[in-house]
Each structure stands twice: as C-alpha cells, then as structure tokens.
Amino acid sequence: MNSRTKKITTIGMMCAMAMVMNLLLHFPIIPAVSFLNYDPKDIVIVIASFIYGPFSAFVMSAICAVLDVMLRGGTILDVLMNMIATCMFSCVAGAIYKKEHTKKGALIGLGTGVILTTISMLLWNYIITPIYFGISREAVAAMLIPGILPFNLIKYGINAGASLFLYKPVIGALRSSHLVMTEEKPHEKSNEMVVLGAFIVISLVMLILGYQGII
C-alpha cells in the first residue's frame, strides 16, 4: 500500500470514527440554547489535521457534515453551519501546528481554534438562526452572550482537551496498523499534555453539570 493510499484509507477510517462518536454522544449543554448539541467528531478531525494538515480536516469536515444530515436529517444550512464550525476549529489548529510543530504549537493551535470558532459562531448564529427557526434577530441577539457564547467555549474546550488526551492512543493505533509512517507522524506529546487534556475535559464536564443543575 503506497503512502497516498494509506492516507486516503486513514482519512476514511477517521471519518467513520468521527461519525460513530457523533451518533453515540449528542446532547445539549446550555439549557438556554437547547437546540445546540455537543458532539465529539471534531476531536478526531483535529487529530487528523495534526497528522495530515488543515486540508485533510476540511475534507473530513465536508464529508461528516453531509453524512450528519443524511443520518439525522436537516437542510443545507445544517451542512453550512456544521462545516464552518468544524473547519474553523480543526483547520486553524492544524495550520498553526503545521507551522510550529511542537507541543507549544499544538496548544496555541487548539486555543486559537477554540477562540476563533466561538467568535465566528456568534456571528453565524446571529445571521443564520433567525432564518433557520423563523424567529426575530432580536431574540437571537438575546441568546448570544448567555447561551451561544458559553456553549461554544465549553464544546470546543472539551474537544481541544480530549484531542490532547486521545492523541497518543489514536496515533499509536494508526502506527501499529502501519497507516501512519514515521515521517508522517506529528511531534509526540508528553504525558503532561495527556494530563492537561484530562484536566480540561473534567473541568468543563463539571461546568456542564452545573449548567444542567445536576451539581
């Protein structure tokens, strides 16, 4: 199997993995915007972006957005919003990591991805949500700060943390299957990055439980 075939095979497998995770784990985070649901597919997509670069993440984002609508139902607006959010997070993180191939680059990429995605989704929800739900723009504006802002910060913060935590087992499995060669693998993250990822995820899950009134 040549390197191109391995890359296509790996991206296909990671798309499948992302969609399985998306179907198994899908729930609202913030009661004020219960129409917005957490999904974990961006974890796999951003790991692929670290391995193969931002264009691979763009391709995976498009495939997963279309599959999501096919499996759950929806419109072209669902595909658009899904792609914008996923690309903003994973492509930005992957582009920064590609330029600075270090642990610091990974952290800066993920952090920048979280911030830019959160900002962009404030704008895009303000534009698209009134069209999608047929409600006034003023009603959507009232949701931005108390609902849409924390939703995206929490969602993409969890996905960033989980990416740090899951990178090593994912890349290890791909290398064991000989799908990722030595020259293709990104800089390995130390155990400190795994611990940091776990801390971020646990902290934000606790915050979700607080929003839900469970704790």
Side-chain angles (χ1 to χ4, degrees):
M1 189 184 294
N2 61 39
S3 60
R4 181 178 176 82
T5 302
K6 286 181 179 180
K7 180 177 179 179
I8 293 171
T9 301
T10 305
I11 289 174
M13 289 175 57
M14 295 184 81
C15 279
M17 187 188 306
M19 288 308 301
V20 169
M21 291 173 65
N22 192 27
L23 291 171
L24 291 177
L25 200 60
H26 197 79
F27 56 87
I29 295 175
I30 308 295
V33 285
S34 57
F35 59 90
L36 296 176
N37 288 289
Y38 171 80
D39 70 80
K41 70 179 184 300
D42 296 344
I43 298 167
V44 180
I45 295 175
V46 80
I47 291 174
S49 185
F50 281 174
I51 299 171
Y52 292 121
F55 182 72
S56 296
F58 173 79
V59 171
M60 289 180 67
S61 299
I63 292 171
C64 289
V66 172
L67 287 175
D68 190 70
V69 168
M70 290 174 64
L71 294 170
R72 296 184 189 277
T75 69
I76 188 64
L77 291 178
D78 293 286
V79 174
L80 176 66
M81 292 292 281
N82 204 327
M83 278 195 66
I84 290 171
T86 300
C87 286
M88 183 64 70
F89 175 62
S90 58
C91 293
V92 166
I96 291 174
Y97 184 70
K98 184 176 181 180
K99 186 173 182 179
E100 186 172 347
H101 213 59
T102 62
K103 291 183 287 185
K104 179 181 176 182
L107 289 172
I108 292 173
L110 289 169
T112 304
V114 171
I115 293 169
L116 291 182
T117 304
T118 299
I119 293 170
S120 70
M121 294 318 293
L122 288 173
L123 173 63
W124 282 102
N125 273 282
Y126 181 73
I127 294 170
I128 298 296
T129 302
I131 300 170
Y132 190 88
F133 288 107
I135 60 178
S136 69
R137 206 165 296 281
E138 289 75 15
V140 175
M143 301 177 192
L144 293 178
I145 302 304
I148 293 172
L149 175 64
F151 170 84
N152 285 287
L153 282 174
I154 293 171
K155 174 183 175 179
Y156 290 99
I158 288 175
N159 286 347
S163 300
L164 295 175
F165 182 76
L166 293 175
Y167 169 83
K168 290 183 78 172
V170 170
I171 197 68
L174 292 174
R175 295 209 327 251
S176 296
S177 303
H178 305 290
L179 291 172
V180 174
M181 304 303 291
T182 302
E183 65 270 17
E184 294 174 309
K185 68 181 181 181
H187 181 85
E188 291 202 30
K189 298 170 179 60
S190 64
N191 290 332
E192 288 81 3
M193 300 290 275
V194 176
V195 172
L196 176 60
F199 174 77
I200 292 170
V201 171
I202 292 169
S203 298
L204 292 175
V205 167
M206 297 296 288
L207 185 58
I208 291 173
L209 295 177
Y211 266 108
Q212 298 291 337
I214 297 173
I215 60 173

